[in-house]
Amino acid sequence: MNQHDHLQKSGDSSGTVTTLDQVPPPGECRVVAVPARGALRTRLLAMGFVPGAGIEVLRAAPLGDPVEYRVKGYCISLRKEEARLISVSARGVDP
């Protein structure tokens, strides 16, 4: 089973699954999966990017990278290459 098949089976059925780098500021989404591997996956999970967590996309740097996110009450800036490794759904976000 490849990564895409896994996301289709485990993803949030109420919305389209995309990656965090595709959600423009200002915006909101919810983590579906973190398909990154190794130390980067561990770091992203430790920072709060766990399945089910709500994310608010706050703003992008002047050249578009990095982007600032609010997750679990605190702000984190990620480069787009890191955000691309977090699968999200725009549906199911609490108001």
Side-chain angles (χ1 to χ4, degrees):
M1 175 185 328
N2 67 30
Q3 176 182 335
H4 181 67
D5 292 336
H6 174 73
L7 291 176
Q8 285 183 333
K9 290 180 181 179
S10 66
D12 183 356
S13 61
S14 63
T16 302
V17 175
T18 187
T19 54
L20 184 55
D21 66 307
Q22 297 297 310
V23 181
E28 293 184 348
C29 56
R30 185 165 301 281
V31 177
V32 174
V34 182
R37 295 181 182 257
L40 180 57
R41 175 182 167 78
T42 302
R43 185 172 66 100
L44 290 171
L45 293 171
M47 289 191 295
F49 293 95
V50 295
I55 300 174
E56 184 180 356
V57 184
L58 300 175
R59 60 184 171 208
L63 296 177
D65 197 26
V67 177
E68 185 177 13
Y69 303 95
R70 180 175 292 129
V71 60
K72 297 194 176 262
Y74 64 96
C75 297
I76 299 172
S77 293
L78 294 178
R79 297 217 174 270
K80 288 188 176 187
E81 65 188 54
E82 297 166 327
R84 193 173 295 124
L85 300 173
I86 301 171
S87 300
V88 299
S89 172
R91 296 292 188 133
V93 177
D94 295 332

